[in-house]
Amino acid sequence: MQRLSHLDEMAEIIALGGAHFETRIRCEVDCLGQRLPVYSVAMGNADPAVPAVGFFGGFHGLERIGAEVVMAFLHHLAVRLRWDSTLHRMLESVRLVFMPLVNPGGTWRGTRANPNGVDLMRNAPVDSAERVPRLIGGQRLSPRLPWYRGPLGGAMEAENQAVCQVVASECLARPFSLTVDCHSGFGVRDRIWFPYAHTRQPIEHIAEVHAFRDLLRETLCHSPYLFEPQSSQYLAHGDLWDHLYLGSLARPGQVFLPLTLEMGSWAWVKKNPRQLFSKLGLFNPLIDHRQQRVLRRHLPLLEFCVWAACSHAHWLPVGAERERQRERALARWYPELGPGERP
Ligand SMILES: [Zn+2]
């Protein structure tokens, strides 16, 4: 029987984490005659008073490097939990949750979509009222075309419902949480995107996002990331993080920051143009040493997210500082909005 190597790797990491990991199968997906599990792994303090960080990958089956980056971090923690008492102490003040392989069917088949042909990042019940690019912004013409949203009025796909469950139970019921969802395939630079994808309007917590950006730049001095709203690149229907963020606004006083790491794959193609002729090559570093470097490159960011969540009370802006951060954010990311159009 053919095996999906990423699921084998997950099983090894879960065995390595042992009793330190709270592992659950959130749903199973039918693919090529097999049932593939969608795992979540949680660790740390379950008390809803402490902050949480969620790490997600593998929404798009072709973008294997996203799942691999999240699995590399989970592996790193599994090993450290065996000897590092400082990590155990840190986990008393934070909850961590991982879903490295949200779309195992797509990963196995080598498709962006899940086995139903649905693009999980176009599948949430969020419609853009603005001009969305044809096809790439999400379409309901056919599951045979890319960026298919799923049938009108249909329930969300099982994989997305599993993510919503995990975010609701592990992240949203807390004073502060953030998530990092790892993708690849857009541009040369590594980017960090924040919502919205469905509108060019700024989110409610734009001051908090800007303060996080400052903190990241000051702490990881040479960090390679271009920080921007997803809407500055293109608008889309059905973005799952928009949907979850909008839902989080029903809980005033709580801060939920969903971030997307978009690894710039075009640089790998430029260094190895033969990748242009391979479907996986457009989205992943195919040469071993380059893949190792990509995995190493992003671990500091993922660790930084944990530290930032633990100490959110020391950097989240309040009062006049919040207003100052908001003004800087609007000037940097939304210069086209006049004072009258600002929320
Ligand atoms: Zn993607």
Side-chain angles (χ1 to χ4, degrees):
M1 188 190 302
Q2 192 198 348
R3 303 278 308 171
L4 173 59
S5 62
H6 284 70
L7 278 176
D8 289 342
E9 196 181 331
M10 256 317 270
E12 280 167 29
I13 296 170
I14 287 166
L16 198 60
H20 299 302
F21 284 0
E22 300 164 40
T23 304
R24 288 179 60 180
I25 293 178
R26 294 289 175 164
C27 68
E28 287 184 308
V29 179
D30 284 318
C31 180
L32 306 173
Q34 287 198 54
R35 309 269 297 158
L36 305 180
V38 177
Y39 287 111
S40 72
V41 173
M43 68 191 83
N45 195 339
D47 181 347
V50 306
V53 189
F55 298 96
F56 297 82
F59 271 94
H60 292 138
L62 267 174
E63 301 164 16
R64 294 181 176 209
I65 189 68
E68 287 160 5
V69 163
V70 178
M71 284 197 286
F73 186 42
L74 187 58
H75 183 271
H76 167 86
L77 293 177
V79 172
R80 268 176 62 194
L81 280 167
R82 299 163 77 171
W83 60 268
D84 185 355
S85 53
T86 66
L87 176 59
H88 284 278
R89 273 207 295 283
M90 190 175 71
L91 286 175
E92 290 166 14
S93 53
V94 70
R95 180 77 166 165
L96 303 183
V97 63
F98 290 78
M99 287 182 83
L101 209 53
V102 171
N103 176 11
T107 308
W108 195 0
R109 288 155 38 108
T111 59
R112 176 180 169 95
N114 75 355
N116 295 333
V118 176
D119 185 330
L120 296 176
M121 271 301 147
R122 302 290 184 275
N123 177 234
V126 182
D127 290 318
S128 175
E130 297 169 39
R131 235 180 112 90
V132 166
R134 268 174 66 84
L135 294 183
I136 189 174
Q139 55 84 16
R140 289 215 161 92
L141 302 171
S142 163
R144 291 172 200 283
L145 294 170
W147 306 294
Y148 178 59
R149 299 186 61 190
L152 183 64
M156 266 193 287
E157 293 296 294
E159 298 90 329
N160 274 351
Q161 291 189 34
V163 172
C164 291
Q165 248 178 34
V166 167
V167 170
S169 62
E170 298 286 5
C171 300
L172 293 185
R174 292 165 188 276
F176 180 87
S177 60
L178 70 90
T179 52
V180 186
D181 174 21
C182 299
H183 290 250
S184 63
F186 185 91
V188 175
R189 295 275 308 268
D190 293 327
R191 290 155 200 271
I192 297 175
W193 280 342
F194 57 87
Y196 289 118
H198 76 286
T199 171
R200 288 188 211 284
Q201 288 293 314
I203 60 171
E204 181 81 22
H205 294 95
I206 197 67
E208 284 78 2
V209 169
H210 200 274
F212 180 88
R213 171 216 175 252
D214 279 359
L215 192 72
L216 173 66
R217 287 172 65 94
E218 287 164 11
T219 311
L220 306 180
C221 306
H222 302 290
S223 89
Y225 306 105
L226 192 64
F227 218 106
E228 60 188 9
Q230 178 171 347
S231 60
S232 69
Q233 292 303 332
Y234 61 89
L235 293 179
H237 300 295
D239 185 275
L240 187 66
W241 298 113
D242 277 17
H243 171 65
L244 286 164
Y245 176 75
L246 287 166
S248 79
L249 297 179
R251 299 167 179 267
Q254 299 184 352
V255 178
F256 170 60
L257 304 180
L259 306 175
T260 295
L261 168 61
E262 184 70 47
M263 288 171 267
S265 62
W266 299 355
W268 311 323
V269 176
K270 227 163 64 183
K271 287 181 186 151
N272 182 27
R274 269 177 309 168
Q275 293 193 192
L276 266 179
F277 302 102
S278 125
K279 197 164 65 158
L280 285 173
L282 290 177
F283 297 93
N284 303 283
L286 292 187
I287 296 176
D288 246 11
H289 72 84
R290 197 160 292 136
Q291 180 188 6
Q292 297 299 326
R293 201 180 309 144
V294 172
L295 295 181
R296 278 201 306 273
R297 179 182 172 93
H298 299 291
L299 286 188
L301 171 70
L302 304 188
E303 277 209 295
F304 167 81
C305 289
V306 180
W307 304 332
C310 284
S311 300
H312 65 278
H314 299 298
W315 61 268
L316 275 184
V318 290
E321 174 61 11
R322 185 170 194 258
E323 191 48 37
R324 193 183 74 89
Q325 288 284 9
R326 187 170 165 279
E327 287 301 322
R328 291 180 63 213
L330 293 174
R332 181 182 310 282
W333 291 317
Y334 305 90
E336 73 284 3
L337 292 183
E341 298 159 290
R342 291 176 178 180

